[in-house]
Amino acid sequence: MSLKHAILGFLSFAPFSGYDLKKAFDRSVQHFWPANQSQIYRTLAQLDEEGLVEKEVVEREERLDMKIYNITETGRAELQQWLSTPLPEHDTREPFLIQVYFGGKLSDEEILNLLNLKLKEIEERLAVYEAVYQMTQNTPSKVTDPRTVFFAMLTLELGYINSKSDATWLRSAIERVETKNYNIQIGK
């Protein structure tokens, strides 16, 4: 996924300033597509140059002028084309799994430390997913179409389900290392 298309997607809902786009990312898609402020501003400038967005400058007396971005018809067409085109499969390298794969070279204490740290990280991610979900339930959204909200929330649901599954697997692996039960649980 490109940041360009994520920004166009947000702008298809409503006009945003760069600052408001950053808040929108943080409140909705940060669990799978984080973006920092400088990336957003750089991409907005590129989109403006390509004619995919229009910029309106709002003058303010005491502070810097604010730029509000609107998606253009060309931007909508670009977004529609990208959304409807299947993406190629991406490379899913997971360094942690290389550590697990060669974990037999570590002592039980060392591998348990790695597994427990990963479990803690995943539990923290689950807490973030739950907090994002609660925030979406308690905060009025600019998006009011239930179907659009449903698809946006499906991404959160997938992250939550995958992380829950990872946590279950890690707890099982930790228990098996602790009890020296080296049986694999595929097909059971």
Side-chain angles (χ1 to χ4, degrees), residues 82-152:
W82 185 82
L83 288 172
S84 62
T85 303
L87 299 173
E89 190 170 338
H90 67 281
D91 185 6
T92 55
R93 296 177 190 190
E94 178 53 59
F96 172 71
L97 291 180
I98 292 293
Q99 290 179 306
V100 172
Y101 187 88
F102 294 108
K105 302 283 185 193
L106 298 173
S107 69
D108 282 355
E109 182 181 316
E110 291 169 318
I111 192 67
L112 285 169
N113 183 51
L114 284 175
L115 295 171
N116 279 304
L117 286 172
K118 189 65 168 181
L119 178 59
K120 182 177 186 263
E121 175 188 312
I122 289 171
E123 287 172 340
E124 289 170 356
R125 187 178 321 131
L126 282 166
V128 168
Y129 291 159
E130 290 167 1
V132 168
Y133 178 73
Q134 287 305 315
M135 186 173 46
T136 63
Q137 299 307 295
N138 300 326
T139 307
S141 173
K142 289 184 177 184
V143 181
T144 57
D145 173 40
R147 186 171 183 274
T148 300
V149 172
F150 168 74
F151 284 107

Side-chain angles (χ1 to χ4, degrees), residues 17 41 54 61 67 70 84 87 104 133 146 150 153 166 186:
S17 68
Y41 282 116
E54 292 175 336
E61 290 180 23
K67 297 172 187 159
N70 290 286
S84 62
L87 299 173
Y133 178 73
F150 168 74
M153 295 307 293
D166 289 348
I186 293 177

